Amino acid sequence: AASDVYKRQFVDIGVHQDGLVHVSELDRKFVNDPSDVVSVGDIVRVNVLSVELERKRIALSRKQLL
């Protein structure tokens, strides 16, 4: 499920830490406002770009699966 945050979307991927989808990874076309492409509560498919254990960050991409 996506939560509304400016220029990025956090995605619950079923582990303790949410994943982050940067606005540039939301769609193949330019996205000015993330809410134009996704809404809070949407179920989305994402690809894992990277995992940073020390910083507790998971980078995700939605556009790679479109």
Side-chain angles (χ1 to χ4, degrees):
S3 62
D4 202 318
V5 178
Y6 180 71
K7 296 290 182 188
R8 57 194 172 179
Q9 296 291 299
F10 288 96
V11 178
D12 179 351
I13 57 173
V15 295
H16 180 69
Q17 186 65 39
D18 286 346
L20 173 70
V21 181
H22 188 270
V23 67
S24 64
E25 293 294 330
L26 283 173
D27 205 299
R28 290 182 180 151
K29 65 182 188 324
F30 176 78
V31 175
N32 186 48
D33 182 353
S35 66
D36 291 340
V37 212
V38 291
S39 299
V40 174
D42 282 357
I43 295 175
V44 296
R45 289 178 49 108
V46 294
N47 188 40
V48 177
L49 297 177
S50 66
V51 176
E52 297 179 50
L53 294 176
E54 299 80 25
R55 296 177 70 190
K56 297 181 180 176
R57 288 189 175 183
I58 302 170
L60 306 170
S61 173
R62 178 177 172 266
K63 77 177 180 183
Q64 288 188 359
L65 298 177
L66 296 177

